[in-house]
Amino acid sequence: NTFSDLRCTCYSPPGGFITWRLAKECSDFVNTFILDSDLVPRLSINNMERLRDEVLHLLARVKLSKYDIAKRIYSLRGEVELGDLDFLLTQNEDMLYPQDDIPDSEFLRQLQRFESIQQERRSNRGVSRSINLYPPGRIVHLVKTGQSKNCLHGVAGCITCGLSNAGFEYTAIRKENDDFNEIEISPTLWTDHFPNRVCMEIEKVAKSFGIDT
């Protein structure tokens, strides 16, 4: 009650930040803004370990060589929408063994030994190591929901290999503090943390609500 008029605005704060209780109890005076696939608000030990484990398991399931996979991906550029889930699932079936039917290999045996060692280390570290941490306060997530069909925007995306957010449209959505418990793999996962990008998209969303920036 000493600072009853205190207000704090956080832009893209780190994910492994504060406990759940503190993250929720500061909601009355803390507002957090996160841009789309920004990596930093999703950074925590648990999230990084989960991503590492998922990547290692994918490597164990791969049927094709790296060359064959790269050749297939580049041959399909421009021919399919990335949001075509049926197509992506078919591609996964062609390139990956089922999770419950991974053939034995030296890599799989090494992975199993690695997982056993990691599990033992987690047990030895105790309870404090397993505490989950979250971004603070009330969270507004600017989610990519569309893209204008402009030639200049297409050129910008091509020149930057998809790293530019030029022409993308974002919608402000309220999110819970534990909604950022997974690292999203995206061409813009690190550039969405750039201050100029965050500022520009917040201003656009504010103007869409009639707020003068």
Side-chain angles (χ1 to χ4, degrees):
N1 296 329
T2 305
F3 304 101
S4 58
D5 59 346
L6 176 66
R7 296 292 181 272
C8 176
T9 302
C10 299
Y11 301 99
S12 310
F17 192 43
I18 54 179
T19 63
W20 175 261
R21 178 179 176 183
L22 185 55
K24 301 302 289 185
E25 290 188 352
C26 70
S27 295
D28 289 339
F29 59 91
V30 175
N31 292 290
T32 290
F33 292 87
I34 296 173
L35 179 59
D36 203 52
S37 302
D38 189 349
L39 171 66
V40 175
R42 297 174 169 85
L43 278 181
S44 68
I45 293 177
N46 288 339
N47 285 356
M48 289 187 287
E49 287 185 345
R50 186 180 298 113
L51 177 61
R52 176 201 64 196
D53 294 342
E54 289 177 355
V55 170
L56 291 175
H57 274 277
L58 279 175
L59 291 175
R61 295 173 56 197
V62 171
K63 298 179 181 178
L64 309 177
S65 68
K66 289 181 286 187
Y67 172 77
D68 288 333
I69 292 175
K71 184 170 66 173
R72 176 176 296 198
I73 291 173
Y74 278 101
S75 68
L76 294 170
R77 292 185 67 186
E79 296 182 15
V80 62
E81 293 289 336
L82 291 179
D84 188 343
L85 295 181
D86 290 335
F87 176 82
L88 294 176
L89 287 172
T90 301
Q91 290 296 305
N92 283 346
E93 290 176 359
D94 291 343
M95 293 188 289
L96 301 174
Y97 291 106
Q99 293 191 40
D100 57 354
D101 190 25
I102 303 175
D104 183 52
S105 67
E106 179 59 26
F107 179 81
L108 180 60
R109 291 191 291 271
Q110 290 176 349
L111 177 57
Q112 290 168 342
R113 289 196 295 271
F114 173 77
E115 290 176 333
S116 177
I117 292 171
Q118 291 302 311
Q119 184 59 45
E120 183 178 350
R121 287 179 176 175
R122 290 191 188 98
S123 299
N124 293 336
R125 287 168 182 164
V127 177
S128 60
R129 171 63 176 74
S130 62
I131 295 176
N132 293 320
L133 299 176
Y134 307 89
R138 290 178 295 186
I139 297 179
V140 177
H141 189 201
L142 304 183
V143 180
K144 191 182 298 178
T145 54
Q147 183 178 16
S148 59
K149 303 297 183 180
N150 185 298
C151 182
L152 291 177
H153 295 153
V155 171
C158 181
I159 292 174
T160 61
C161 296
L163 298 180
S164 171
N165 64 346
F168 285 109
E169 300 167 357
Y170 295 84
T171 300
I173 299 175
R174 282 288 304 275
K175 288 290 188 71
E176 289 295 329
N177 305 72
D178 58 353
D179 284 334
F180 300 88
N181 60 357
E182 187 175 35
I183 294 174
E184 292 188 5
I185 304 303
S186 162
T188 61
L189 63 83
W190 62 283
T191 53
D192 280 341
H193 190 67
F194 286 6
N196 61 316
R197 276 195 172 186
V198 177
C199 179
M200 180 174 62
E201 299 308 331
I202 289 177
E203 287 181 345
K204 288 181 182 178
V205 171
K207 288 179 181 178
S208 71
F209 284 94
I211 300 173
D212 185 12
T213 59

